[in-house]
Amino acid sequence: MASPGHRDAPELPDFGLLKRLARDQLVYLLEQLPGKKDLFIEADLMSPLDRIANVSLLKQHEVDKLYRVENKPAHSSSDQLCFLIRPRIRSVKYVADVVNADKATGRTRKYKIIFSPQKFYTCEMVLEEEGIYGDVTWDEWSFYLLPLDDDIISMELPEFFRDYFLEGNQCWISTVAKALHLLNSLFGPFTRTYGIGRCSKMVHEIWREVTEESEGDSLGRKPEIGQVFLLDRDVDYITALCSQVVYEGLVDDTFRIKCGSVDFGPDVTSSDRSIKVLLNAQDKVFGKIRNEHFSNVFGFLSQKARNLQAQYDRRRGMDIKQMKTFVSQELKGLKQEHRLLSLHIGACESIMKKKTKQDFQELLKTEHALLEGFDVRESIGFIEEHINRQVSPTESLRLLCLLSITENGLAPKDYRSLKTQYLQSYGPEHLLTFHNLKRLGLLMEQVPGETLTAVENKVSKLVTDRAAGKLSDAFSSLARKSNFRALSKKLGLIPRVAGEYDLKVPRDMAYVFSGAYIPLSCKIVEQVLERRSWLGLEEVIRLLSGNEFIATDTATEDNPRDFQRIILAVFLGGCTFSEISALRFLGKERGFRFIFLTTAITNSARLLESMIETRA
Amino acid sequence: MDCYTADWNPLGDEAYYRKLDLYSMAWDIKEAGLRDCLVAAAPYGGPIALLKPKKEKSPSSRPVLHIYSASGVHWASTLWKNCPAVHLGWTASEDLLCIQEDGSVLIYSIFCEFKRCFRMGNEVLQNHVVEAKVFHTEYGTGVAILTGANRFILATNVDDLKLRRMPEVPGLQKPPSCWAVLCQDRVTVILLASGQDLLLLDNTSCSLVTLPGMNPHAGSYLRMAVSFNYRYLSLFTDTGYVWMGMSHLKEKLYDFTCNLRTPPKQMVWCTRPRSKQRAVVLAWDRLLLVAGNAQKGIEYHLDEDSYLVPELDGVRIFSSSTHEFLHEIPESTQEIFKIASMAPGALLLEAQREYEKESQKADEYLREIKEQDLLPEAVRKCIEAASCEQDPEIQKALLRAASFGKCFIDKFPPDSFVETCRDLRVLNAIRDYQIGIPLSFAQYKQLTIEVLLDRLVLRRLYPIAIKICEYLRLSEFQGISRILAHWACYKVQQKDKSDEEVASAINQKLGDTPGISYSEIAARAYECGRTELAIKLLEYEPRSGKQVPLLLKMKRSTLALSKAIESGDTDLVYTVVLHLKNELNRGAFFMTLQNQPVALSLYRQFCKHQELDTLKDLYNQDDNHQELGNFFVRSSYTNEQRIEGRVASLVNAVDEYYKAKNEFAAKATEDQVKLLRIQHRMQKEEDKPYLDYSLHDTVYNLILDKNHKRAEQLYRDFKISDKRFWWLKISALAEREDWDELEKFSKSKKSPIGYMPFVEICMKHHNCSEAKKYTLRVAPEQRVKALILVGDLGLAADAAIEHKNENEMNLVLSKCTAASDSSVANKINCAKAQILKK
């Protein structure tokens, strides 16, 4: 596996600092409202908060009761209310309702809103329109970055994807820029920045502006991260839409990893309660299998079980003294490992059960057929049946989108019939869902009368024309063609191997999809890092409709030190565990270490759910 | 240099005073002189204002206000068209206050540009201002007036005007003979003298005070003077007696009796920080007297009418031809230059001189200092003395001595020497008569370099200000950038140059200097009414966030909107959008948004939460029928409760979809309308919830409820595909466990989905026997799978062998467990062996 360029992987910086900074600021903000107070927390801030501060810390700073911000009125008896919310109109209105209800009953209390990670002007607009601008005070908790693992930092902003890519709302861009600035000032200065995508470009520009304005605060420190790669999610939807088969991705698809931890239900724990497990590099068992293809995991786990047994068995020949050291030193670790091992085995079993039930193999086969572009009719038939049998609304949608992107849109007849089928199965409100998907370019209709290759040619021409014509760029994703087939060919995304792909000893990043497909996003990263520029990738850039950039800090350029091999991969709009695994693999091969910064961890279900219109 | 001490005049035993020449005045006022002029000279070497008196009996000729530099260089003048002025004074920021008879105070810049005006109350209109004083406290510059009705009115800070009308002084019939503003414990009070009485007037009351140690036969008070720092007070009586003491009136310092009994024209204090010596300077027409802690004062003859300006560390005296500085000689200078001084500083200076003469005496002197271990002290004294000198030659001599002495000391910290050299270089430069700021070293330190730069900027002396910044290596933010910005702000006021010229001149000079805010310069240009220039200048502003507010102020909203969008800062965009919303009518507002998709989509998002109607209007305006359709569809789910409302909303949507030429959506929505109506009817008839089921679920539930007729009806009406219908029907029947009906259905016609699903659905509901019924009808290629599913491995094996399909055989084999299915396994192995043989 070792390639000639293989070097020891450089050390990762310690991101615990980010947690400490966030915690200290939170404490400071709570202290700004002295005395006992009740704290209302936005539901999706609960888990991130949990990773930063525990209840006793909050109690220490005179937080009395904790409430969740939801659609119910609050019954708090405290004289001071503190709201920890995202800067959303909905949440601000909730606060307004609480305040106005108090006003109606003639009650006066102190209200303080803490916006995380920042306040938007719209929040003030709402406060003003609701007539409570003068009644509340507010602060910002600059909690931009939550380290989920040694190499994963999440901004925990799942709405970024919909807000930016669907609604064209750029409000989070400056947030990301500020987050980058923070990382740059703590672990930089970064020497090289690559990027592709409109959003990346804007983030990069604003980040540079922010840096220029606060010049000088990162000087004189030893940089710990060398390069940055920014990538828009819409550069590569395919990868995010594929079924994940690497263990960590599969766990995410099956059980949903939330903020770095997962709730294993009774079917996994084989008891009557769920267990919350933190999934990260600290978990020695998980650390070994997270990046493995699922087919290897069972083998590994049983091997591990045998080893564990052997270690337990060593007790037998021991004398008292040895036994004493064994019990005091090793037993606890072994027990812990044992517990984790049985949990992961349980999880595997549960996954196997679920996945075989729905003909997971069939599904994967269809996916691979779509990626490779053969037997399209058969795939369409499969999808149709999938819809007709109401297997799952998101799964059906996922297959539809995969079909559309790989085929550069659906033939008009299929487009109509599949959509009709879908509406009949899952309800008419999905008419709006389809509209959203069309805007995003995820589910399109082919332009009539064009064969696939003709479309490809024409599209590539269109793209350059558009670039010249400076089409209203906010919605360049509108009517965007995927060009997947051409990209796949150009970059060799479908590995051609003689014989079986050996998933135990992977030869390229395709292993994360059973050897059928190299994730496009990761391939781009690989190609650019290899060339140290975009040179030679002109055709690919054109197919991705441009917006690539590179920026170098000449001062520290070409310094072959360790930190240069640490690369911050920034995914705007979410990143999947498959991509993380693929890049970890790439890093191991090339002597890099990747750090992942994402607006949120995503997968096909999350991506599509954010597009689905519900009747709520 | 031996006669260096020639102009030293002793006052008592310890103190010496001297007059230094500052300038020969450049002004030409020889004829009239200073006599009868209103004079105001700002402290810290500030400008001098002269208001020439009105010539009696010629109402047509008006007085002229002149402003000069301290060196007498004429800066500006203006014709006095207002009411007669009573008093002139300078504020701490070098604005000229002109207090008029009618109680209004006009404020002029140093270039005679009128800035603003305020009034000292309305009662003054009738009573007139009799006398006025300008004073400085920690609150800023204040004005005190005495009205014709013998009332005092005070304003402690002209920049934050609050008038204080002091209480009436009981029994005061005529104006007091003299008065002064004192500052006691942060409260400004007035001390006034009426005959032999001394009265202290504060906010609420008026009290008689007596001075400690006052000669009871001194007579009545005629003059009063407060020191520069407001700590000392002196009084002059009609017997020529001078009382000197603390301004809190509790301690007397000295007294003195003059030969002259006529009141002096001016009486001021001459002090120096950190000096024990204090003296009062009195000026009569031709006599200047320095009185202090001594029996005998120092007398100077005055050739011309002179004016005294108290300073921090001395008194400036100017007349129509000269400008001098009278001060107490600092200790270090005294030590070094006093005749026959053996102080270490003096020896060092001597040593250096001898060294230059290449005389061995240098060594002797040096040895003498070193023996007493006083060399560092000597160096320090030389540096200190140099800083107090005006003449560069003497400064140099002293610094040379210091530098010489430094060589013989290990690790003498160089800072003080280097700093003093630099500061002196700056001071010498600004003392030049062209610049005309005669600051002493102590004043300079008190004023700070920042304020000095401000003052240079105020005088529009940009080049020297920049040179000083460069010379002192000030940071760009504090120094050059700030000065360039001021220059630019001045530049935009030059009306004779075109916008292009000014803009490019400014950009050329400023470039990308850090800390320059083009938006501030543009704001100034806008204030001067040059909107176009402001816009041009804003182009150079790199931060869009700074461009937008000004653009809005200038009513360039569209430009502001594009700049805000360019910045990528959504908060900024919202700011502009809201501004536009308030400024424009609805139609124009929408039109503006249509051209800016980013702003439009942002505003839409806001409307989605806050103003649904506006959202609809936005779509309408744009003829965006697709979005309108979506809007109605959405509102049929979220806003409408009643079925009629929901249907109506959907009908609207159909309409819009047709307009948008989206036939698919229109048809789908029509179908939904149809379905809703049917569901509604059924719900009423059957009393079961059908509403909001999808078509699939509706039919499914109908079958579950054995309502087959209706199910068939919907199947036909909505053209449900056969496959779907079969799928859903068998699932529903199986869920109902209606196995007969299922069988009947299976035989109704040939299944479009095959019979494998029948097997699967039966097995899902754990009905093996029913499942087996269908295995025979399953297509051959799936039969083995079906048989395995129902658990009949024997038949499965037979089928596989019949098909001669090795894969199928293996599949069966893999399901065989050793114990129970050994016969089956054997059978397959046999068959496999046979195939192999062939």
Side-chain angles (χ1 to χ4, degrees), chain A residues 399-440:
Chain A
L399 291 169
L400 280 176
C401 293
L402 272 178
L403 175 69
S404 167
I405 300 175
T406 52
E407 292 297 308
N408 253 341
L410 275 60
K413 198 170 134 283
D414 295 332
Y415 185 64
R416 273 150 198 269
S417 109
L418 286 169
K419 269 180 16 181
T420 312
Q421 298 286 346
Y422 193 92
L423 294 180
Q424 289 185 351
S425 275
Y426 302 115
E429 66 273 20
H430 291 293
L431 197 59
L432 303 179
T433 308
F434 286 130
H435 180 72
N436 291 345
L437 292 172
K438 187 176 168 190
R439 270 176 80 159
L440 226 56

Side-chain angles (χ1 to χ4, degrees), chain A residues 233-440:
Chain A
R233 185 69 271 174
D234 69 351
V235 166
D236 173 17
Y237 282 131
I238 287 273
T239 305
L241 289 173
C242 287
S243 296
Q244 307 197 68
V245 286
V246 165
Y247 184 65
E248 191 167 12
L250 201 47
V251 170
D252 189 32
D253 274 1
T254 322
F255 304 101
R256 296 243 170 168
I257 298 176
K258 201 171 152 197
C259 228
S261 70
V262 68
D263 272 318
F264 281 138
D267 56 331
V268 174
T269 57
S270 38
S271 62
D272 51 356
R273 60 195 184 93
S274 324
I275 295 179
K276 196 172 176 185
V277 187
L278 221 51
L279 294 179
N280 57 29
Q282 309 306 316
D283 177 341
K284 288 285 176 303
V285 179
F286 181 67
K288 280 279 191 297
I289 53 175
R290 67 196 306 187
N291 298 318
E292 291 293 322
H293 188 271
F294 187 64
S295 59
N296 297 338
V297 172
F298 244 144
F300 175 85
L301 289 177
S302 54
Q303 178 63 40
K304 184 88 198 168
R306 276 198 293 281
N307 289 351
L308 209 59
Q309 190 58 50
Q311 274 174 294
Y312 272 123
D313 288 347
R314 277 197 303 129
R315 287 177 301 184
R316 290 211 181 116
M318 286 180 182
D319 57 26
I320 297 284
K321 204 175 160 199
Q322 283 169 322
M323 185 68 91
K324 209 171 153 190
T325 41
F326 175 78
V327 171
S328 65
Q329 288 171 6
E330 286 175 57
L331 195 60
K332 202 179 158 210
L334 288 177
K335 282 216 163 133
Q336 168 78 359
E337 229 169 294
H338 180 119
R339 195 181 69 86
L340 292 169
L341 192 60
S342 59
L343 273 175
H344 286 297
I345 291 176
C348 279
E349 280 173 347
S350 172
I351 290 170
M352 294 278 273
K353 236 185 268 168
K354 279 182 194 157
K355 291 302 178 190
T356 48
K357 206 160 74 184
Q358 283 164 20
D359 271 327
F360 193 48
Q361 293 305 324
E362 284 283 307
L363 195 72
L364 286 182
K365 223 178 82 192
T366 309
E367 264 178 43
H368 295 169
L370 288 173
L371 289 169
E372 291 182 47
F374 60 78
D375 291 344
V376 177
R377 286 290 2 140
E378 202 172 297
S379 300
I380 292 176
F382 179 83
I383 297 170
E384 205 167 15
E385 186 182 316
H386 206 271
I387 297 170
N388 280 342
R389 295 174 60 187
Q390 288 186 312
V391 178
S392 133
T394 40
E395 284 284 281
S396 305
L397 215 49
R398 185 169 73 82
L399 291 169
L400 280 176
C401 293
L402 272 178
L403 175 69
S404 167
I405 300 175
T406 52
E407 292 297 308
N408 253 341
L410 275 60
K413 198 170 134 283
D414 295 332
Y415 185 64
R416 273 150 198 269
S417 109
L418 286 169
K419 269 180 16 181
T420 312
Q421 298 286 346
Y422 193 92
L423 294 180
Q424 289 185 351
S425 275
Y426 302 115
E429 66 273 20
H430 291 293
L431 197 59
L432 303 179
T433 308
F434 286 130
H435 180 72
N436 291 345
L437 292 172
K438 187 176 168 190
R439 270 176 80 159
L440 226 56

